[in-house]
Amino acid sequence: MRPVADPAAVVRGEHYRITVLTDGLVRLEYAEDGVFEDRASTFAVNRLLPVPEFRVRESDGRLEVVTSRFRLTYDRGPFTTSGLSLAVGGGISAYHSVWRYGQPPRDLGGTARTLDDTDGAIPLEPGVVSRTGFAVIDDSHSFLFDDEGWVSAGNVGRTDLYVFAYGHDYAEAVRAFYAVSGPPPVVPRWALGNWWSRHHAYTDESYLALLDRFGREGLPFSVGVIDMDWHLTDVDPRHGSGWTGYTWNRALFPDPAEFLKRVHDNGLRVTLNVHPADGVRSYEQAYPAMAAALDRDPSTAEPIAFDVTDRRFLTAYFEVLHRGLEADGVDFWWLDWQSGPYSRIAGIDPLWMLNHFHFLDNGKLTFSRYAGPGSHRYPVGFSGDTVISWASLAFQPFFTATAANIGYGWWSHDIGGHFFGVRDDELATRWVQFGCFSPILRLHSAKNPFLHKEPWSFPSPAREVMTTFLRLRHRLVPYLHTMNHRAGLPLVLPMYYRSPGTDEAYEVPGQYQFGTELLVAAITSPADRRTGLARVRTWLPEGTWVDVLTDLVYDGGRTLYLHRDLATIPVLATGGAIVPLDGAAVPANDPVEPEHLEVLVVVGADGSFDLVEDAATTPLRWRQDQGELVAGPAAGAGLVTRTWTTTFPALTGVDPVASVDNLPVPAEIHRDETRTSITVRDVPVTATLRIGVGARPRPRRNDVAGLLFTRLDRAQIAYATKTRVHETATADRPLAIRLSALQALGLDDELLTAIGEILLAQTLEEI
């Protein structure tokens, strides 16, 4: 922590202090006693930043502070709406771009503490980006850290605001947020695979049998989440409920250490659920040691209350309650705090305390709810117990992406929903598809024998589709781990980060950027009964876009409906995109650096991607004019050789060639109707691999006739209507005339947009 700002960044009066932290971020403090706060807060841990250029002007009793991004005007009195304002530069209309003290900004939202019990959208707390160009974090009531890292309640009566004035430069606003609040840590590579979680009273034998079944089914998992039945839950009512517990249920797990070892042997890490609110009761195995640590008499059997504000209790909480369980093999903890934001000391939020000190204690990962700005320092986020419904699914892509506005990038949702609702196999499948392209994929469900997420418990085609996407998630880990190391921005971003001046970018709540290379349009509504297709409203920026899952090609610069059957969702990339995948069709549980790597390359423009692994970085470069991918050499330690498959979605009619250190090498080439792949085996990681497909390659044209026939053939409509639609759509007439004639047929909207998608995908220039 470096909480004290450079004095050169400070403008100070008797009762006010203005600190120019960056060219677009200013801290505004007012205190009647003239005492200002220099301790770190839950949000602000680093104020010692390079001093930006700024000017200070004084005239007519007013103070102006001017940077390249804003002009602050202040009457040097108590903060008031008329006396303190900030105008944002950057070409935004002055009518909307002036912040005045006391007026809440209209930002684009941040995130929320939890989705517990929600069935659809909920209000979000503030973020640091806004279409008006300014946003505010009020840090006046946050609790504080002293020099020893302990906490105290905030100062009473102080005003402490952080005004973000970055205009529409949303990415820089988030980077400034991280500069002051600290960067998000790199999560362990194993956290990026699939997590298995279910509230169910497993035994050691049944859990290990489940892992064996996953293996036979080719379903990879890297994290095992064991819900609260790991500990004693059926307790004497005189102790209260069994919600809190720290003692293994030996009837279910006779030898916990051996059980955890065998889970580790399967390639999974383990987290246990803890609800700490009820403290430590006398029946707990750790009670005597806990009492001794706190100088209590264990013979009294008095319960030890949970008190996160007591340093001795917190020390014993870790050293007595958790350390022995960690020695058994627990890798990290699921902190399931559901008891509100209040503690024995006003202003101290127990959830904040648990997140902060658990992460410091563990050093790898904490799994808990969001507690306010700065919570990004303690990943991963548990979003809570949502209702199983289409409305819940529809909100989650928007919720996940919008959390980037407060720097919170690692949400983990109950994929498939938690409780209530009705069984809907289509809904469950679509949720898994979204989960594959979300920060953390964790299947979960409530304690109900009819609530389960094992893919084999679903009929075809849901079973096969879920299996495909769970495998794909593990195949994506090389890409995800590189994004994990990317400084400055979360994995999932709203579309308006790409084009903040485009209205359409704000109008697609189910669509988001997934890392640097991919756009995902989650399908969150049921399929139309007649077409058998679900649709999602999608905005494609300028350029040519390829769906890397289906090889369909689209012209961008517009909003359109994309339609997909249950097998897939739109995952799009534009020219120059490079996406590294694990080359195994069925990846292993532990997602270590793969010996076989598949690289997706979308042709059409130059591209660059640096594959980051735990011990090495490998540059990947696509040169469009030459039609050549250059991979390597790797910098750092790691594998000695690697097999490479290079796949070109939507590229056909080419003859790839390969060389290693400029010498031709044998390769295996695979072609199908829509893409081309080439595999080169046993390439030294210190060598340079080149894959050529010919100069200036372009994505293929869609098979409009074939796609149109298939779409109509599967539609559950009258055969006569199919014939008429097909004749109209394929007539030898200008496209505009055909589209007009199709509209006049009185077709259902879903069928009309499904046909229009195919006809318009690559033919905008013909209209």
Side-chain angles (χ1 to χ4, degrees):
M1 295 183 184
R2 301 187 301 169
V4 181
D6 190 319
V10 175
V11 179
R12 180 169 179 168
E14 183 179 358
H15 300 295
Y16 68 85
R17 184 169 68 170
I18 300 170
T19 306
V20 185
L21 294 165
T22 73
D23 61 354
L25 174 58
V26 59
R27 183 188 188 193
L28 306 176
E29 297 172 273
Y30 189 87
E32 285 292 341
D33 60 5
V35 177
F36 303 106
E37 186 55 71
D38 281 330
R39 289 174 290 177
S41 71
T42 52
F43 157 62
V45 299
N46 178 34
R47 305 184 188 99
L48 185 60
L49 302 173
V51 179
E53 291 187 12
F54 68 94
R55 303 188 304 277
V56 178
R57 300 173 181 171
E58 296 187 57
S59 61
D60 301 326
R62 303 186 74 81
L63 175 71
E64 288 188 340
V65 178
V66 182
T67 75
S68 60
R69 292 187 184 267
F70 66 79
R71 179 185 300 272
L72 176 74
T73 304
Y74 174 43
D75 65 5
R76 295 187 291 194
F79 289 176
T80 64
T81 304
S82 57
L84 176 60
S85 63
L86 183 148
V88 180
I92 304 176
S93 168
Y95 181 75
H96 297 291
S97 62
V98 177
W99 169 77
R100 295 184 180 278
Y101 174 78
Q103 292 186 335
R106 293 175 295 168
D107 61 72
L108 286 163
T111 193
R113 188 177 181 106
T114 182
L115 296 178
D116 278 343
D117 302 317
T118 61
D119 186 6
I122 63 169
L124 301 179
E125 297 175 21
V128 300
V129 304
S130 170
R131 296 194 78 175
T132 61
F134 58 81
V136 179
I137 288 181
D138 187 345
D139 207 32
S140 306
H141 306 290
S142 301
F143 67 78
L144 306 166
F145 297 96
D146 62 25
D147 292 340
E148 297 180 352
W150 191 240
V151 299
S152 65
N155 290 339
V156 177
R158 70 187 179 103
T159 299
D160 192 354
L161 307 178
Y162 290 77
V163 182
F164 290 76
Y166 277 89
H168 289 164
D169 196 348
Y170 300 151
E172 282 304 309
V174 173
R175 291 187 181 105
F177 172 87
Y178 285 152
V180 173
S181 197
V186 174
V187 302
R189 186 184 182 98
W190 45 259
L192 302 173
N194 299 315
W195 297 25
W196 175 258
S197 179
R198 184 185 179 193
H199 190 183
H200 180 72
Y202 287 108
T203 65
D204 54 359
E205 292 182 354
S206 66
Y207 199 90
L208 293 168
L210 175 70
L211 297 186
D212 288 343
R213 177 71 184 272
F214 284 145
R216 293 195 301 273
E217 297 281 344
L219 293 164
F221 285 90
S222 62
V223 175
V225 183
I226 304 179
D227 213 316
M228 58 183 292
D229 284 295
W230 71 269
H231 65 74
L232 296 174
T233 58
D234 185 11
V235 302
D236 190 317
R238 67 188 176 89
H239 296 295
S241 78
W243 205 246
T244 296
Y246 301 95
T247 304
W248 281 98
N249 184 338
R250 300 282 175 157
L252 302 178
F253 301 95
D255 188 342
E258 176 62 20
F259 164 71
L260 294 174
K261 177 183 180 299
R262 292 180 64 183
V263 176
H264 289 149
D265 290 344
N266 273 277
L268 285 78
R269 272 66 173 191
V270 180
T271 182
L272 303 184
N273 176 283
V274 286
H275 294 87
D278 284 342
V280 186
R281 279 77 60 83
S282 60
Y283 66 85
E284 296 280 12
Q285 182 178 337
Y287 178 79
M290 193 73 177
L294 298 174
D295 296 328
R296 309 276 185 92
D297 180 359
S299 67
T300 65
E302 287 294 319
I304 300 172
F306 174 83
D307 186 359
V308 76
T309 66
D310 183 330
R311 295 187 74 165
R312 292 188 67 199
F313 173 85
L314 194 62
T315 298
Y317 171 82
F318 288 113
E319 296 298 329
V320 176
L321 295 181
H322 292 81
R323 203 66 73 232
L325 295 166
E326 290 166 353
D328 285 342
V330 177
D331 295 287
F332 65 105
W333 296 95
W334 175 10
L335 303 174
D336 207 348
W337 179 260
Q338 299 178 351
S339 303
Y342 306 108
S343 68
R344 186 171 56 85
I345 298 177
I348 302 293
D349 182 347
L351 179 59
W352 248 114
M353 295 283 286
L354 287 166
N355 291 353
H356 176 74
F357 286 104
H358 260 280
F359 192 84
L360 291 182
D361 183 70
N362 181 276
K364 293 180 293 187
L365 205 65
T366 293
F367 182 36
S368 183
R369 287 172 172 80
Y370 175 81
S375 293
H376 65 278
R377 299 193 299 269
Y378 318 116
V380 164
F382 166 49
S383 67
D385 303 337
T386 51
V387 172
I388 298 169
S389 70
W390 286 101
S392 290
L393 172 58
F395 183 58
Q396 285 188 2
F398 171 81
F399 178 81
T400 307
T402 305
N405 297 341
I406 198 65
Y408 200 73
W410 291 111
W411 270 125
S412 169
H413 304 301
D414 284 4
I415 295 301
H418 183 74
F419 50 18
F420 305 132
V422 300
R423 173 155 179 163
D424 186 328
D425 296 346
E426 181 188 8
L427 171 61
T429 305
R430 292 302 191 193
W431 222 318
V432 170
Q433 290 170 329
F434 163 64
C436 179
F437 292 95
S438 67
I440 299 292
L441 194 165
R442 177 181 52 85
L443 299 172
H444 186 67
S445 53
K447 194 171 187 178
N448 181 318
F450 296 104
L451 275 173
H452 39 76
K453 304 292 171 59
E454 300 90 342
W456 58 79
S457 67
F458 293 85
S460 295
R463 172 178 179 163
E464 290 79 13
V465 175
M466 289 181 179
T467 297
T468 295
F469 277 84
L470 290 170
R471 291 173 180 171
L472 177 58
R473 175 63 185 206
H474 268 238
R475 297 194 66 216
L476 279 164
V477 168
Y479 177 71
L480 295 169
H481 192 55
T482 299
M483 296 299 104
N484 184 20
H485 282 269
R486 177 179 60 161
L489 290 173
L491 171 68
V492 172
L493 294 174
M495 290 304 300
Y496 46 74
Y497 277 64
R498 186 183 184 98
S499 186
T502 304
D503 288 342
E504 290 84 354
Y506 299 83
E507 298 168 355
V508 282
Q511 183 185 346
Y512 51 90
Q513 300 178 77
F514 192 68
T516 56
E517 311 296 295
L518 299 173
L519 302 185
V520 177
I523 291 181
T524 60
S525 59
D528 173 63
R529 182 183 62 82
R530 293 194 171 195
T531 65
L533 303 171
R535 69 180 185 179
V536 55
R537 192 169 186 266
T538 308
W539 171 66
L540 295 181
E542 294 289 343
T544 299
W545 293 86
V546 174
D547 186 326
V548 299
L549 300 186
T550 64
D551 294 346
L552 292 172
V553 183
Y554 298 88
D555 293 331
R558 58 186 172 133
T559 299
L560 70 165
Y561 281 111
L562 298 181
H563 305 72
R564 297 293 185 269
D565 62 18
L566 190 64
T568 190
I569 62 173
V571 179
L572 301 119
T574 194
I578 300 173
V579 182
L581 305 171
D582 190 319
V586 182
N589 285 337
D590 192 359
V592 298
E593 289 86 350
E595 295 181 356
H596 181 187
L597 199 72
E598 180 178 11
V599 179
L600 304 184
V601 178
V602 178
V603 303
D606 289 344
S608 176
F609 191 95
D610 290 327
L611 173 68
V612 179
E613 298 177 293
D614 289 332
T617 299
T618 304
L620 306 173
R621 303 290 182 264
W622 170 251
R623 298 170 178 173
Q624 173 66 13
D625 285 347
Q626 294 84 0
E628 180 182 64
L629 175 73
V630 182
L639 299 172
V640 176
T641 63
R642 170 170 269 159
T643 294
W644 293 81
T645 295
T646 306
T647 297
F648 298 92
L651 183 65
T652 56
V654 296
D655 294 307
V657 295
S659 68
V660 174
D661 287 341
N662 296 318
L663 296 176
V665 293
E668 304 157 25
I669 297 173
H670 176 76
R671 302 180 181 89
D672 61 26
E673 294 179 353
T674 63
R675 60 175 50 191
T676 303
S677 295
I678 178 171
T679 298
V680 182
R681 300 190 180 277
D682 302 323
V683 179
V685 298
T686 56
T688 299
L689 170 68
R690 297 176 187 271
I691 302 294
V693 295
R696 294 181 292 279
R698 308 299 303 179
R700 65 188 289 274
R701 303 293 295 180
N702 292 334
D703 177 12
V704 175
L707 292 167
L708 182 63
F709 184 87
T710 298
R711 198 152 281 192
L712 284 170
D713 186 45
R714 295 177 180 176
Q716 306 294 297
I717 59 175
Y719 291 109
T721 302
K722 294 186 183 192
T723 301
R724 190 172 183 188
V725 170
H726 189 263
E727 290 174 347
T728 303
T730 59
D732 186 17
R733 308 182 73 185
L735 179 59
I737 300 298
R738 284 181 277 151
L739 290 172
S740 177
L742 285 169
Q743 291 176 343
L745 293 179
L747 305 175
D748 288 347
D749 182 61
E750 288 80 2
L751 179 60
L752 184 62
T753 59
I755 298 301
E757 176 194 346
I758 299 301
L759 294 177
L760 291 168
Q762 290 178 275
T763 52
L764 291 178
E765 71 279 359
E766 299 179 17
I767 299 178

